[in-house]
Amino acid sequence: MRRALAALLLGWGLVQGGHALAADYAGPIFDAHLHYNEEAWNGRAGPYPPTEAVARMQRNGVRAIVANSRPNTGTHTLAGAKEGADAGITVVPFVRVYRNRADYTNWFRDESIYEMVQDELARGSAAGPFRGIGEFHLYESANAKGPVARKFVELAERSKLALLAHVDDEAIELLMAASPTGGQKLRLIWAHTGIGGAPVARVRELFERYPLLVGELSYRPGLACAGGQLCPEWRELIERFPTRFMVGSDTWVNERWGSYDEIMRNYRVWLGGLPPELARRVAWGNAADLFGVKPPSP
């Protein structure tokens, strides 16, 4: 009987190497790291107008996004897009610190960037108030000590905004040290949870030290192993901190928009290998709780 059942499951593709395979996660996804840069759509032209961008989210079960774009016009476009509203996609807007590519390497000491962000925060968006600042890069950890970088940390903690930071582990500590509470009340989303490949033990150390540090998992080296499932050390870490991880697409170039289906499909594979409640937390609940987004309607 068991052999017959195994043979049947093997025929359905649900057994591999004698072990049952988990079904892919089928619930909603909160894309917590999405860009709508001018290369995708500049308001007049581009390969991914709002209709196409929203269609990619919709067919992949993405029901909410953190939108941040260069320039911020892209985020305003998504926040006010009728297509997104009709599809039931919630937009959580972040102010990005880049007006153009030249800002990438100088924003942390450019007072005009601070003024621009202040103006955007005061303006708000069609989707409501801005909820965070970023994504920003620090190509050298010491740039976290820049005067504007420090002002953003203080502003974020004081105003209960989140920071989306593409930085290494050393910069995480420098940013936390710049906050009034030494990082204890700073909402910081670590883009890619260390794209340079900080060891899992180091990630765990930082999570233990800073209670509001959250890891976003796009591009994270060493995350997935055989069969697209989580590598054991990452599964153990996510199980240890079940409320502290989220997923994102990081559509920083148009090629990522072109691969959006694949990106989300890969997430669904390894999410399906987690216990259902944990999978839903990582895919949806952690980001939804952070930003007060209601569960999506069926």
Side-chain angles (χ1 to χ4, degrees):
M1 182 68 178
R2 288 183 179 178
R3 289 182 180 178
L5 179 59
L8 181 60
L9 293 174
L10 181 61
W12 290 344
L14 298 177
V15 167
Q16 186 179 72
H19 299 285
L21 297 180
D24 292 353
Y25 170 76
I29 288 178
F30 196 130
D31 185 343
H33 185 165
L34 183 140
H35 303 292
Y36 199 45
N37 294 335
E38 60 185 355
E39 294 88 355
W41 179 251
N42 67 8
R44 300 176 303 279
Y48 299 102
T51 300
E52 178 60 27
V54 169
R56 287 170 186 261
M57 300 175 209
Q58 190 172 23
R59 70 175 177 243
N60 284 286
V62 173
R63 303 298 302 274
I65 61 171
V66 165
N68 71 109
S69 309
R70 171 188 41 79
N72 286 297
T73 306
T75 293
H76 284 290
T77 296
L78 288 180
K82 182 177 184 299
E83 297 90 343
D86 290 346
I89 296 171
T90 299
V91 176
V92 176
F94 273 38
V95 183
R96 204 163 191 207
V97 301
Y98 306 142
R99 300 161 298 193
N100 50 53
R101 289 190 178 276
D103 287 335
Y104 280 54
T105 56
N106 196 53
W107 69 268
F108 41 84
R109 54 176 167 252
D110 185 342
E111 286 292 335
S112 72
I113 296 290
Y114 187 75
E115 293 170 5
M116 179 270 287
V117 170
Q118 292 276 60
D119 289 344
E120 289 286 357
L121 290 172
R123 174 187 178 189
S125 79
F130 283 95
R131 306 298 303 278
I133 300 169
E135 182 196 19
F136 59 76
H137 301 73
L138 290 171
Y139 297 104
E140 295 182 14
S141 303
N143 290 333
K145 298 179 181 179
V148 173
R150 294 179 65 89
K151 288 171 78 170
F152 280 144
V153 168
E154 294 167 2
L155 172 64
E157 183 166 300
R158 182 174 67 250
S159 302
K160 296 184 178 180
L161 298 169
L163 296 179
L164 177 59
H166 176 137
V167 299
D168 63 17
D169 55 304
E170 181 181 348
I172 290 288
E173 298 219 71
L174 291 173
L175 291 169
M176 293 296 192
S179 84
T181 63
Q184 295 305 294
K185 294 184 179 180
L186 180 64
R187 293 171 169 83
L188 198 156
I189 301 170
W190 192 2
H192 321 299
T193 319
I195 199 169
V200 168
R202 175 63 167 154
V203 177
R204 181 172 60 247
E205 175 190 351
L206 293 172
F207 273 50
E208 289 171 345
R209 187 175 303 167
Y210 304 113
L212 300 183
L213 178 63
V214 175
E216 184 271 321
L217 293 169
S218 64
Y219 276 115
R220 170 62 218 201
L223 182 68
C225 285
Q229 296 296 319
L230 286 173
C231 296
E233 62 179 357
W234 274 98
R235 180 181 177 119
E236 180 182 355
L237 186 67
I238 290 172
E239 289 176 340
R240 182 168 182 171
F241 298 100
T243 64
R244 307 276 291 278
F245 289 98
M246 52 185 65
V247 298
S249 60
D250 190 17
T251 47
W252 67 286
V253 289
N254 284 347
E255 288 79 5
R256 292 288 285 184
W257 276 109
S259 301
Y260 199 87
D261 296 345
E262 180 183 2
I263 292 166
M264 292 303 158
R265 183 165 58 247
N266 289 341
Y267 280 137
R268 289 188 180 279
V269 169
W270 64 252
L271 286 165
L274 295 174
E277 178 56 29
L278 178 57
R280 188 176 176 91
R281 290 219 60 82
V282 175
W284 172 267
N286 292 339
D289 287 351
L290 180 59
F291 299 113
V293 175
K294 297 179 180 178
S297 57

